[in-house]
């Protein structure tokens, strides 16, 4: 997995694409500079076991940095943005989480491996444990903040499937919505399972002018017991002249093929008319 720089541009992109990996307090410039890897964990374990893993955090600035570390609960709002909570929500698994330290210090250009664990109680049923590990820098008064101290934060998301918990994705509807000022085919997906799921793969499309497209779903997480709209975006051919304009899809649009989630097919064979 790639490292994530703590910069405003990466934060905005992460929130828009649902990556849930980086965000900044008060939407201001970060009060520290760092890299963290991996941006999320998607793993599994069993009841009665202790799950352990390691995060690598680097200070890429030329001065020392101090980070406080804690856990948060989180969910997604109606637009797919992350909503984090210090308050323990109902059925939270955060009480199972153990942290190596609540505060860490890194020298200039230093690096550290940070350990955490999840002690899963014995006898619990299949479910998904979800939480965020929050790394927060010390507040500083930044340019443009009008004297208000600003602290940068990174949220590393953990999805831990217990006792074989899985997603159960179901296609409810297919239509179009405005995305980036153009009509885009979208899928309404329900997750009736016990864990989150993501759609993968490519489907074929033919528009009203006979143009052929390959469409791929946004790789956003679909949480258990929720419904979410997933956009399908055209994959431009690698040989396309970058100076030429992107092709526009003319409706009605015929879509046919199979997407996958956890090795299971989701079949699409329909014509979309706005």
């Amino acid at each position: 997995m790639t490292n994530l720089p703590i910069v405003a541009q990466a934060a905005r992109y992460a929130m828009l694409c649902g990556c849930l990996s980086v965000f900044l307090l008060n939407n201001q410039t970060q009060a520290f500079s760092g890299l963290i890897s991996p941006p999320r964990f998607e793993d599994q374990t069993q009841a009665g076991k202790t799950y352990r893993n390691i995060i690598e955090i680097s200070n890429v600035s030329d001065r020392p940095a101090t980070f406080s570390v804690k856990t948060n609960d989180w969910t997604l709002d109606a637009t797919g943005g992350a909503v984090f909570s210090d308050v323990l929500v109902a059925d939270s698994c955060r009480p199972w989480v153990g942290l190596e330290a609540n505060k860490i210090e890194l020298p200039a250009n230093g690096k550290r491996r940070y350990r955490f664990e999840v002690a899963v109680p014995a006898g619990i049923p299949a479910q998904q444990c979800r939480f965020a590990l929050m790394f927060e820098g010390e507040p500083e008064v930044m340019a443009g903040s009008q004297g208000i101290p600003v602290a940068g934060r990174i949220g590393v998301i953990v999805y831990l499937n217990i006792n074989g918990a899985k997603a159960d994705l179901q296609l409810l509807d297919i239509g179009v919505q405005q995305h980036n000022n153009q009509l885009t085919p979208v899928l309404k997906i329900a997750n009736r399972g016990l864990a989150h799921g993501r759609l993968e793969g490519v489907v074929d499309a033919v528009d009203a002018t006979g143009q052929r497209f390959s469409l791929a779903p946004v790789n956003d997480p679909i949480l258990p017991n929720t419904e979410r709209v997933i956009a399908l975006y055209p994959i431009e051919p690698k040989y396309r002249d970058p100076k030429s304009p992107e092709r526009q899809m003319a409706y009605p649009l015929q879509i046919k093929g199979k997407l996958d989630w956890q090795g299971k097919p989701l079949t699409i064979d329909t014509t979309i008319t706005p």
Side-chain angles (χ1 to χ4, degrees):
M1 296 184 183
T2 56
N3 293 345
L4 291 180
I6 308 168
V7 295
Q9 290 85 352
R12 293 193 188 98
Y13 177 76
M15 295 306 300
L16 289 172
C17 74
C19 297
L20 305 177
S21 301
V22 179
F23 71 99
L24 301 176
L25 206 59
N26 298 330
N27 294 322
Q28 299 290 338
T29 304
Q30 75 279 6
F32 61 98
S33 180
L35 294 171
I36 196 160
S37 180
R40 68 174 181 248
F41 293 88
E42 295 179 289
D43 216 335
Q44 55 187 341
T45 189
Q46 297 292 319
K49 302 290 185 180
T50 297
Y51 172 86
R52 296 180 174 90
N53 219 318
I54 294 173
I55 296 170
E56 187 172 274
I57 184 165
S58 303
N59 176 19
V60 297
S61 71
D62 57 1
R63 57 178 177 168
T66 300
F67 302 88
S68 61
V69 189
K70 61 182 178 181
T71 62
N72 264 197
D73 285 301
W74 65 273
T75 188
L76 300 176
D77 63 20
T79 65
V83 179
F84 294 85
S85 172
D86 279 325
V87 178
L88 207 64
V89 302
D91 300 323
S92 174
C93 64
R94 285 164 57 200
W96 308 345
V97 181
L99 303 178
E100 178 182 342
N102 296 118
K103 181 173 287 189
I104 59 175
E105 297 181 356
L106 289 175
N109 301 305
K111 183 181 296 185
R112 171 171 175 160
R113 289 160 65 85
Y114 183 88
R115 294 169 176 80
F116 71 95
E117 65 179 32
V118 184
V120 183
I124 65 169
Q127 59 186 274
Q128 184 175 68
C129 171
R130 292 190 308 276
F131 61 93
L133 293 166
M134 311 303 295
F135 294 81
E136 182 171 339
E138 294 182 317
E140 296 182 19
V141 177
M142 308 299 293
S145 66
Q146 300 179 340
I148 301 173
V150 175
R153 291 197 293 180
I154 312 174
V156 177
I157 303 301
V158 179
Y159 303 87
L160 191 59
N161 294 347
I162 300 168
N163 295 343
K166 295 181 179 179
D168 181 7
L169 302 188
Q170 301 174 16
L171 177 61
L172 300 182
D173 197 10
I174 303 176
V176 294
Q177 285 187 2
Q178 285 284 347
H179 284 266
N180 299 324
N181 297 319
Q182 64 181 7
L183 281 178
T184 302
V186 297
L187 310 176
K188 187 176 183 181
I189 304 294
N191 185 354
R192 308 303 187 202
L194 299 174
H196 80 295
R198 300 176 192 270
L199 287 177
E200 299 177 336
V202 176
V203 292
D204 297 320
V206 181
D207 77 354
T209 67
Q211 289 188 105
R212 295 185 175 274
F213 295 85
S214 294
L215 304 179
V218 173
N219 192 232
D220 290 346
I222 306 164
L223 300 185
N225 300 310
T226 65
E227 297 176 0
R228 186 165 189 182
V229 173
I230 301 294
L232 296 173
Y233 286 106
I235 303 173
E236 289 291 340
K238 294 182 179 179
Y239 53 80
R240 183 179 71 87
D241 184 349
K243 296 181 181 179
S244 64
E246 293 186 6
R247 297 182 300 161
Q248 300 297 313
M249 291 183 292
Y251 292 86
L253 187 68
Q254 300 176 32
I255 302 178
K256 186 173 183 178
K258 292 182 180 180
L259 298 175
D260 296 313
W261 54 275
Q262 297 174 350
K264 297 183 179 180
L266 190 152
T267 302
I268 300 174
D269 189 354
T270 190
T271 298
I272 302 177
T273 301

